[in-house]
Amino acid sequence: MQVFFHIWLAFRFLFIGLIVVFLVQGLEDLVIDIIFFSRRIFRAIFRRKVVKPVTPEQLSTVSEKPLAILIPAWDESAVITRMLLNTVGTLNYRNYHIFVGCYPNDASTREAVDKAAEVYPNIQMALVSHDGPTNKADCLNCVFDAVRTFEREKSIVFEIFVLHDAEDVVHPESLKFYNYLIPRFNFIQIPVFALPTPWYSLVAGVYMDEFAENHTKELRVRELVTGGVPSAGVGTALSRKATDFLAERHNGEIFDPGSVTEDYLLGLKLMTLPGRKILLQQAVPTADGRSAEPVATREYFPSSFWRSVRQKARWVLGISLQGWSAGWGRTFGQNYWLWRDRKAFVLNILVVAGYILVVFWVGTEIFNHYSETTKIPPLIEVHEPYMRLVWIVLAIFGWRVLNRVAATARLYGILHGIMAVPRLVVGNFINFCASVMAIGHFVRAKFSGTTPKWEKTAHIFPPDNHLRRYHKRLGEILVDRHLVTSAQIDAALARQKETHQKLGEILLATKAITPKQLEITIEESAK
């Protein structure tokens, strides 16, 4: 009986401790909500006529600056060709080059990149000087070196650098917005949203819920409080001034190869760069003109539990654990948010401790129901002061769930909004396992003195029917890919009216394009 008493006492202290922790965390989240909604109300009432979305006419008033898209690629042969073809075929921008970082010992990815690069001259392979995998930071630094070499050889100076991954669906208008706002801003992050999956896909749905809330609310408040936002690693645009700033202070390296979350550290390093760093939230009309869609990067995230755990373990390792060695900011707001990032792995573990308490409570209720002699007392009596804290925590938790449901429903519909409730539980256990795994990686790296390797997850690129709304006609794709000029298309269309030939046949006859270029472009325009 003495043993049971000590177990009960341990759970009581755990219960009280967790209530205090959850209350403090809940109040912090509540302050963020108050700032967010207060700002929205203020702007709706007092600045409605001042703060207006950027129009397509405004975007076209700025001539296109030279722009480089950087993509690190290790073992991406399954997705990289389709990603490149979709990107080049849909972007509403012409003055850009794509640089894809590949490793010498990854022949399949190099072949996949070559397939696109041999047809489209604005796709360049940046070969890493050593075998992989290393990590994304090392790969991206090599890509930047290749960009500098390209600039010297082609007498070009890129003014904007954009980061993407091999599985990204790049928004067609995103480069136009970067071009319009840089160099007024030196750092721009657009939202990242998960592509929709079936309602019953609980693990993939966790990403839908988390990014829907974080990239529409929390990052907006973070920008307001700290004067900047961390990079998400994709949909991030940097000015030339920003990349030069980083290179000068870090021996020519833009990214820290000692970190597994180089994108997060990138945002922190730029906090000392004068000027605003913004989260860009803009919407553009859809193809049918009936609604508006956010300018955002979209992608599929892991749909299996352990793949998700491995991916999130990298995030926890880089942000919450390695982040402690990155130093602190210059203001209270910056330091608060860094503290919020770095304590996340502890909260991930404590949340599951809360589930253990629920199981203990249910177990004691069942035991007391069937036991006629021995009764286990409740962890907290109704008349105790701690009980008031319990009700406050439950109320705050209900508000948190309501916010998550609303954010998900706004982007994906009411059914996914409802499913955000059970997915919250799934997400808690994913984060718990990821935190435990990250701690293991961190301890092993510390004792061995090694740099964690690139633990990538298998990527999936969306099927063609998900991308069809972005695709253009054959002539538009050829012009966008710099294969022909607008004048050549106009001339071919004029001749088509006389001869009734196919556009491709006319372009081949005039030797404007090669058969190989036509073949691949037709494949893309037909999707």
Side-chain angles (χ1 to χ4, degrees), residues 206-207 210 308-316 430-431 434:
V206 168
Y207 292 90
E210 290 180 349
S308 177
V309 167
R310 285 195 296 272
Q311 183 187 63
K312 288 199 167 191
R314 181 175 65 84
W315 297 352
V316 173
I430 290 174
N431 292 337

Side-chain angles (χ1 to χ4, degrees), residues 369-391:
H369 178 77
Y370 289 102
S371 175
E372 297 181 356
T373 56
T374 305
K375 299 292 183 180
I376 300 177
L379 295 176
I380 291 184
E381 297 287 352
V382 176
H383 61 273
E384 289 187 82
Y386 292 115
M387 200 64 195
R388 298 178 184 176
L389 300 183
V390 171
W391 290 114

Side-chain angles (χ1 to χ4, degrees), residues 86-87 90-92 164 168-178 190-191 282-286 292-298 469-470:
N86 180 73
T87 300
T90 58
L91 282 175
N92 183 21
H164 274 292
D168 292 350
V169 179
V170 183
H171 195 280
E173 303 297 328
S174 58
L175 303 195
K176 281 286 190 183
F177 280 95
Y178 302 145
I190 64 173
Q282 291 281 327
V284 295
T286 54
E293 65 175 7
V295 177
T297 300
R298 298 179 183 270
R469 61 182 174 146
Y470 292 145

Side-chain angles (χ1 to χ4, degrees), residues 117-338:
E118 69 181 7
V119 179
Y120 308 119
N122 60 336
I123 298 176
Q124 318 293 328
M125 181 189 298
L127 192 62
V128 179
S129 59
H130 44 268
D131 286 347
T134 50
N135 55 36
K136 287 178 65 176
D138 177 65
C139 184
L140 282 170
N141 283 333
C142 292
V143 176
F144 258 102
D145 289 339
V147 171
R148 295 184 185 110
T149 301
F150 184 87
E151 288 180 318
R152 290 192 298 268
E153 293 176 350
K154 303 296 182 181
S155 298
I156 184 174
V157 177
F158 291 108
E159 298 183 41
I160 303 171
F161 300 87
V162 179
L163 304 180
H164 274 292
D165 279 345
E167 72 275 19
D168 292 350
V169 179
V170 183
H171 195 280
E173 303 297 328
S174 58
L175 303 195
K176 281 286 190 183
F177 280 95
Y178 302 145
N179 182 66
Y180 180 78
L181 294 170
I182 291 175
R184 177 185 170 194
F185 302 110
N186 290 312
F187 174 98
I188 298 173
Q189 176 67 56
I190 64 173
V192 179
F193 295 135
L195 285 163
T197 54
W199 63 269
Y200 50 81
S201 183
L202 295 180
V203 174
V206 168
Y207 292 90
M208 295 167 59
D209 306 333
E210 290 180 349
F211 279 89
E213 186 172 15
N214 292 342
H215 281 227
T216 58
K217 182 178 68 176
E218 183 153 328
L219 281 185
R220 175 58 77 197
V221 177
R222 184 169 188 152
E223 177 197 340
L224 186 66
V225 172
T226 68
V229 293
S231 166
V234 300
T236 302
L238 305 168
S239 69
R240 184 82 193 197
K241 182 178 180 180
T243 57
D244 289 346
F245 174 85
L246 293 169
E248 290 170 4
R249 284 157 179 76
H250 302 283
N251 298 318
E253 290 187 335
I254 307 297
F255 298 94
D256 182 0
S259 172
V260 295
T261 50
E262 71 299 323
D263 44 9
Y264 173 80
L265 287 182
L266 174 73
L268 299 189
K269 291 176 182 177
L270 287 173
M271 292 302 291
T272 56
L273 174 66
R276 287 183 60 194
K277 300 88 185 175
I278 65 167
L279 173 71
L280 177 67
Q281 290 187 316
Q282 291 281 327
V284 295
T286 54
D288 57 15
R290 296 179 181 177
S291 59
E293 65 175 7
V295 177
T297 300
R298 298 179 183 270
E299 61 186 77
Y300 280 124
F301 287 90
S303 58
S304 72
F305 185 87
W306 288 110
R307 284 182 179 177
S308 177
V309 167
R310 285 195 296 272
Q311 183 187 63
K312 288 199 167 191
R314 181 175 65 84
W315 297 352
V316 173
L317 173 60
I319 297 173
S320 289
L321 295 172
Q322 290 183 328
W324 287 95
S325 62
W328 295 90
R330 297 179 299 173
T331 66
F332 172 80
Q334 291 173 0
N335 288 329
Y336 164 72
W337 231 280
L338 292 174

Side-chain angles (χ1 to χ4, degrees), residues 37-86:
F37 288 111
S38 298
R39 181 178 181 273
R40 288 190 64 178
I41 294 171
F42 176 82
R43 293 182 67 160
I45 296 175
F46 300 104
R47 303 196 65 191
R48 182 171 53 185
K49 296 182 180 180
V50 178
V51 181
K52 296 181 179 179
V54 179
T55 64
E57 292 74 23
Q58 289 175 291
L59 294 177
S60 12
T61 60
V62 180
S63 59
E64 293 185 349
K65 306 177 187 70
L67 183 149
I69 299 175
L70 282 61
I71 302 174
W74 162 256
D75 191 21
E76 298 288 9
S77 58
V79 297
I80 189 63
T81 301
R82 294 188 61 234
M83 183 272 182
L84 291 172
L85 295 178
N86 180 73

Side-chain angles (χ1 to χ4, degrees), residues 333-473:
Q334 291 173 0
N335 288 329
Y336 164 72
W337 231 280
L338 292 174
W339 160 249
R340 186 177 173 87
D341 292 338
R342 294 167 189 180
K343 69 179 180 179
F345 78 99
V346 177
L347 290 175
N348 292 340
I349 294 173
L350 292 181
V351 166
V352 171
Y355 286 110
I356 295 174
L357 277 175
V358 171
V359 172
F360 178 81
W361 174 74
V362 172
T364 57
E365 289 296 315
I366 294 174
F367 178 84
N368 288 339
H369 178 77
Y370 289 102
S371 175
E372 297 181 356
T373 56
T374 305
K375 299 292 183 180
I376 300 177
L379 295 176
I380 291 184
E381 297 287 352
V382 176
H383 61 273
E384 289 187 82
Y386 292 115
M387 200 64 195
R388 298 178 184 176
L389 300 183
V390 171
W391 290 114
I392 295 174
V393 168
L394 288 176
I396 294 175
F397 175 73
W399 171 250
R400 290 259 49 78
V401 172
L402 183 62
N403 273 263
R404 176 64 61 87
V405 169
T408 302
R410 189 162 51 246
L411 279 178
Y412 302 102
I414 187 62
L415 177 58
H416 277 295
I418 295 171
M419 290 304 299
V421 179
R423 293 195 300 231
L424 187 62
V425 178
V426 175
N428 287 337
F429 281 95
I430 290 174
N431 292 337
F432 170 80
C433 294
S435 295
V436 173
M437 183 179 290
I439 293 171
H441 289 328
F442 183 74
V443 172
R444 282 194 295 271
K446 282 294 184 183
F447 276 103
S448 64
T450 58
T451 299
K453 294 292 182 70
W454 192 343
E455 288 208 27
K456 67 178 290 297
T457 52
H459 292 142
I460 301 174
F461 198 72
D464 296 333
N465 61 326
H466 286 194
L467 304 170
R468 193 166 293 147
R469 61 182 174 146
Y470 292 145
H471 285 174
K472 305 172 184 178
R473 293 176 294 180

